[in-house]
Amino acid sequence: MKAAILHSGQRSLKVEEVELPELSTNQVKVKIKACGICGSDIHFVLHGKMKSTYSPCIPGHEMSGEVIQLGETVTKFKLGDRVVVGAGTSCGKCSYCLAGRENLCEEIGVFGFNRSGGFAEFIHVEERYLHKLPDSIPFPQGAILADAVSTPYHAIKYQGELKPGETVAIIGCGGLGIHAVAIAKALGAGKIFAVDIDRGSLDNALSYGADEAILLEKNMQLGKILKEKAKGIDLIADFSGFMANIESSIRSMNRGGRIVLVGIGRNKLEIPMPFFLIERQIRITGSYGSDSRAIPELIQLYSDKKIDLTKSISGVHKLEDVNEYLHALEEKRENPIRFIINPEL
Ligand SMILES: [Zn+2]
Ligand SMILES: [Zn+2]
C-alpha cells in the first residue's frame, strides 16, 4: 500500500509503497477515507520532538474509513461498515480497560506514535478500537472525532464535570480548544470565555459559540481579567500549556471550581496557599485523550444537531501533500482548524 513514512532523523514524510502486515484474527482491515493532521504531528514530524518506537513509522491518529476485510473472530463489524478508529491504544486487559476507562491504562499509546497510523491507504486494527459511523456524518468530520473533538469532550464533560449554566474559560483555541468551546456550548454552559494569543483562533472560537474573546498578551494576569469580566469562573480548561501561570487563574474561580489541564506546558505550576483550595474546594486535574464513552456520545450529539463540525474541516488533501499541510497548520495558513488527508485522492 501507499503510506507516508517518517524515517528516523528526517523532518518530513516520504510517500512510499510498504507491505501491510498480516491481518490478525481479531483485526479489521479499514480502507482509510480521512485522517486529520493534528498539532502533535507537527511536533512529531517537523520538530523531531518525539522518537518513534516502531518501523516503518506511519503517523496519523484521527482516522475514519470503511471496513473491507474481517479477521475470523471479529463479531461487531461487517464489510462495508463506516467506522472511526479511536486515537488511543491500550492493553485491553487491565482493570481500567475492562471498566471502559482506557485512557488510564498503563500501556496507553497513540496510533502513529506507538504503532502504524492513518497517513496510509489501509490500516489493520483490533475491533475494540472501532466505532460505527452513521451515514449522516461525513468521513472527515468522523475522523476528527478520534482526537480533536473527543479529547476536549473528555476534558469538559468527565474531568471538568461541566454543569448547565456554568461559566467556562477555554485557554488555547486551536484544533482541540475550539472544539472545547463547541462542546461547552452543546452541554449548556452559561457564559464561555475564549482565550488565545492568536486573533484568528479567537475569531474561530467566537464563531463556535464563545461569548467573549480575550487576546492573551505577555505577562498578562489572566485571572484578574477573568475576575473583572465575570463574577467567577466555574471551569477553566487549558489546551495551551499556559496554565503554568495558574495562581492568578485559581483566584478567579468560583467555589467548587475545576481547572482541567490538557495542553502540556514546561513550567512549574505555581499554586496559592493550600487553604485557598481547601476552603473553596477547588480541584486541579489533568485530562488525557478520552475513553470509550466519548466517540459514541459525540456521534449522538452530532446526530441531535447539538454540535456542527462543518467549519472544522479546513480542507481535504491527497497523501502526497501531507508535508505541505503540516507546514500550513504550523503557520496557521488561512486560519485552519483541521486539514484532512484522504489517501484515495
Ligand atoms: Zn492529536
Ligand atoms: Zn489496560
Side-chain angles (χ1 to χ4, degrees), residues 101-145:
R101 305 190 68 194
E102 298 85 350
N103 57 345
L104 290 173
C105 177
E106 282 186 36
E107 288 177 34
I108 190 164
V110 182
F111 280 100
F113 295 96
N114 306 87
R115 59 182 272 187
S116 292
F119 295 141
E121 288 181 285
F122 306 101
I123 189 166
H124 288 174
V125 57
E126 293 75 1
E127 66 174 331
R128 66 192 173 89
Y129 295 130
L130 298 178
H131 303 271
K132 268 186 198 146
L133 187 66
D135 290 341
S136 57
I137 305 183
F139 283 115
Q141 276 93 326
I144 67 170
L145 294 179

Side-chain angles (χ1 to χ4, degrees), residues 229-287:
K229 291 182 181 288
K231 247 174 56 207
I233 308 288
D234 299 297
L235 171 61
I236 295 180
D238 177 60
F239 294 85
S240 70
F242 167 82
M243 284 301 280
N245 173 17
I246 206 167
E247 175 155 13
S248 96
S249 300
I250 289 175
R251 293 190 185 281
S252 73
M253 303 299 290
N254 281 329
R255 288 168 173 270
R258 287 87 59 208
I259 294 181
V260 183
L261 305 177
V262 188
I264 299 166
R266 284 159 174 250
N267 300 326
K268 263 206 219 149
L269 291 183
E270 303 269 350
I271 60 172
M273 294 295 284
F275 184 72
F276 189 88
L277 297 181
I278 293 164
E279 193 249 346
R280 292 168 184 241
Q281 300 188 58
I282 290 168
R283 272 183 284 158
I284 304 173
T285 180
S287 187

Side-chain angles (χ1 to χ4, degrees), residues 90-97 102 105-107:
S90 53
C91 80
K93 293 178 282 216
C94 70
S95 59
Y96 295 120
C97 285
E102 298 85 350
C105 177
E106 282 186 36
E107 288 177 34

Side-chain angles (χ1 to χ4, degrees), residues 45-98:
V45 178
L46 300 185
H47 301 168
K49 282 274 163 63
M50 296 167 249
K51 287 223 162 59
S52 71
T53 52
Y54 68 97
S55 139
C57 174
I58 306 171
H61 56 269
E62 292 187 345
M63 298 168 260
S64 66
E66 190 186 317
V67 173
I68 58 164
Q69 195 184 334
L70 301 168
E72 286 155 34
T73 61
V74 170
T75 55
K76 295 194 192 96
F77 295 89
K78 57 180 195 318
L79 296 180
D81 276 347
R82 304 169 83 251
V83 290
V84 180
V85 185
T89 61
S90 53
C91 80
K93 293 178 282 216
C94 70
S95 59
Y96 295 120
C97 285
L98 294 175

Side-chain angles (χ1 to χ4, degrees), residues 38-40 61-62 147 176 338:
C38 176
S40 59
H61 56 269
E62 292 187 345
D147 175 30
L176 269 65
R338 268 298 191 257

